[in-house]
């Protein structure tokens, strides 16, 4: 439910200005928030500085000047380095500040962060992002928030400056667990959508007419209906969700299944498909490029609307 309550402006730190992080930080600036940013990609930080952000010289100095800090980083390795490293967040966060990780990481890492920050007397939460990069551009992201309920009045108003929907999934770590499951389904859809469209083309069906049927029956899914027409079916393979990150995310789900002895045969198969597409040179393309990949494998003309 949207929170329309106005709260005092906080000093916000944002670390990680990739495709999604940049859009989220920009949304904060559009809502006249005080934002300090840091990324090893200085170009992204400079773009936001032109819109009102302050650029921190490093993680440590950023953490000493903010009330709440967000990280949006590629994976567990980078999150642990930034959060727990010698010059990282834990050792430099000022008293009373809150740390929220928005990355998609594994269960062990998010639990490690929660334990480390809690033992040090800090509030920790995780808020992985749902929906697509284009939604983040419009300030319409969804957040899967894991944090003790007593901190919701402080954290939720800030998240609503970046998106429209918050699902409080439970205690810290619950957001990450939910995101792993969510992305497993999203990434499996990439394979299902691609197989269906390639088969339709091979059967001589009109792509536009077939697509209209698929998105208006129970076969429809958000990836096919919202993303495919704007990405691969429009010939745009620029990474709204990079295939390599998709492989990382579906691997997290596969590993979670293995660690809990839960069989995930479709997930594991889709993970191998992502690996095959990466080996075929699709790294750096959007996850929807699987449609092109399977068209190429099957000798079918690339499918466009």
């Amino acid at each position: 439910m949207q929170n329309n309550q106005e709260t005092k402006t906080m000093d916000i730190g944002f670390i990680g200005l990739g495709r999604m992080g940049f859009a989220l930080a920009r949304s904060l600036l559009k809502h006249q928030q005080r934002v300090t940013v840091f990324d090893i990609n200085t170009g992204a930080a400079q773009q936001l500085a032109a819109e009102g952000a302050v650029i921190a010289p490093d993680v440590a100095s950023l953490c000493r000047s903010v009330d709440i800090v967000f990280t949006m980083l590629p994976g567990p390795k980078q999150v642990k380095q930034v959060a727990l490293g010698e010059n990282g967040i834990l050792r430099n966060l000022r008293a009373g500040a809150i740390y929220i990780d928005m990355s998609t990481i594994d269960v062990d890492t998010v639990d490690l962060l929660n334990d480390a920050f809690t033992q040090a007397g800090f509030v920790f939460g995780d808020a992985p992002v749902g929906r697509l990069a284009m939604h983040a551009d419009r300030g319409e992201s969804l957040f899967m928030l894991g944090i003790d309920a007593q901190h919701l009045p402080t954290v939720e108003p800030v998240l609503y400056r970046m998106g429209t929907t918050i699902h409080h999934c439970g205690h810290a770590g619950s957001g990450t667990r939910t995101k792993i499951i969510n992305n497993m389904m999203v990434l499996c859809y990439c394979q299902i959508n691609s197989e269906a469209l390639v088969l339709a083309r091979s059967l001589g069906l009109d792509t536009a007419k077939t697509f209209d049927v698929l998105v208006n029956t129970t076969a429809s899914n958000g990836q096919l209906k919202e993303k495919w027409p704007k990405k691969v079916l429009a010939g745009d393979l620029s990474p709204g969700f990079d295939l390599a990150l998709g492989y990382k995310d579906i691997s997290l789900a596969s590993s979670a299944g293995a660690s809990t002895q839960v069989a995930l045969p479709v997930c594991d198969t889709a993970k191998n498909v992502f690996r095959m597409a990466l080996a075929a040179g699709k790294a750096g393309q959007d996850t929807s490029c699987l449609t092109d990949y399977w068209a190429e494998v099957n000798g079918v003309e690339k499918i466009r609307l």
Side-chain angles (χ1 to χ4, degrees):
M1 182 175 65
Q2 175 71 55
N3 185 342
N4 295 313
Q5 181 181 2
E6 292 298 323
T7 58
K8 69 180 183 67
T9 301
M10 301 175 70
D11 289 305
I12 302 167
F14 208 106
I15 301 169
L17 304 174
R19 177 66 181 89
M20 189 69 77
F22 182 89
L24 295 171
R26 173 178 268 175
S27 287
L28 289 170
L29 293 170
K30 289 178 179 178
H31 283 90
Q32 290 78 51
Q33 303 300 289
R34 296 193 298 264
V35 184
T36 301
V37 299
F38 176 78
D39 195 287
I40 56 175
N41 175 7
T42 57
Q46 288 168 357
Q47 288 184 59
L48 292 176
E51 300 181 27
V54 174
I55 301 177
D58 50 44
V59 170
S61 59
L62 179 148
C63 291
R64 290 192 289 265
S65 66
V66 298
D67 303 305
I68 185 169
V69 58
F70 294 93
T71 49
M72 172 60 88
L73 298 165
K77 178 182 176 180
Q78 295 84 356
V79 171
K80 284 187 281 191
Q81 180 180 355
V82 169
L84 305 176
E86 183 176 351
N87 297 309
I89 297 170
L90 181 61
R91 300 191 183 189
N92 294 281
L93 198 60
R94 70 186 188 187
I98 297 172
Y99 170 40
I100 305 289
D101 180 53
M102 309 180 87
S103 317
T104 302
I105 57 177
D106 60 286
V107 170
D108 289 343
T109 298
V110 76
D111 289 347
L112 174 67
L113 296 178
N114 185 33
D115 290 344
F117 280 83
T118 300
Q119 289 174 15
F122 294 107
V123 175
F124 171 79
D126 56 333
V129 183
R131 298 180 180 154
L132 304 172
M134 60 183 169
H135 295 112
D137 291 337
R138 301 195 296 261
E140 298 173 356
S141 290
L142 174 151
F143 301 101
M144 303 166 218
L145 176 60
I147 198 167
D148 288 344
Q150 69 191 79
H151 303 297
L152 292 177
T154 300
V155 173
E156 284 191 332
V158 183
L159 291 177
Y160 276 123
R161 270 49 173 192
M162 294 183 273
T164 59
T165 308
I166 299 171
H167 291 286
H168 182 220
C169 299
H171 56 75
S174 298
T176 292
R177 286 166 165 83
T178 305
K179 179 64 182 289
I180 288 173
I181 295 168
N182 179 82
N183 275 21
M184 180 186 74
M185 294 185 67
V186 165
L187 295 166
C188 287
Y189 285 142
C190 292
Q191 176 63 13
I192 293 168
N193 294 340
S194 298
E195 287 187 26
L197 291 170
V198 170
L199 178 60
R201 172 58 60 88
S202 72
L203 292 174
L205 294 173
D206 178 272
T207 298
K209 292 178 180 178
T210 303
F211 185 84
D212 189 46
V213 170
L214 295 178
V215 299
N216 286 288
T217 68
T218 54
S220 183
N221 57 78
Q223 290 284 300
L224 182 65
K225 187 172 184 178
E226 296 186 41
K227 180 177 182 176
W228 253 241
K230 296 180 174 66
K231 300 304 291 183
V232 66
L233 296 183
D236 179 6
L237 297 176
S238 60
F241 189 178
D242 192 296
L243 187 75
L245 289 178
Y247 175 67
K248 181 266 293 185
D249 286 3
I250 200 164
S251 296
L252 293 176
S254 179
S255 296
S259 67
T260 55
Q261 298 184 346
V262 172
L264 302 172
V266 175
C267 170
D268 291 340
T269 299
K271 181 188 76 170
N272 289 331
V273 167
F274 273 74
R275 182 185 296 157
M276 291 162 60
L278 288 170
K282 299 298 184 182
Q285 297 185 15
D286 187 75
T287 52
S288 63
C289 76
L290 285 186
T291 299
D292 276 4
Y293 171 69
W294 284 114
E296 294 164 6
V297 167
N298 287 285
V300 173
E301 181 184 359
K302 289 182 180 179
I303 301 160
R304 302 290 185 260
L305 280 176

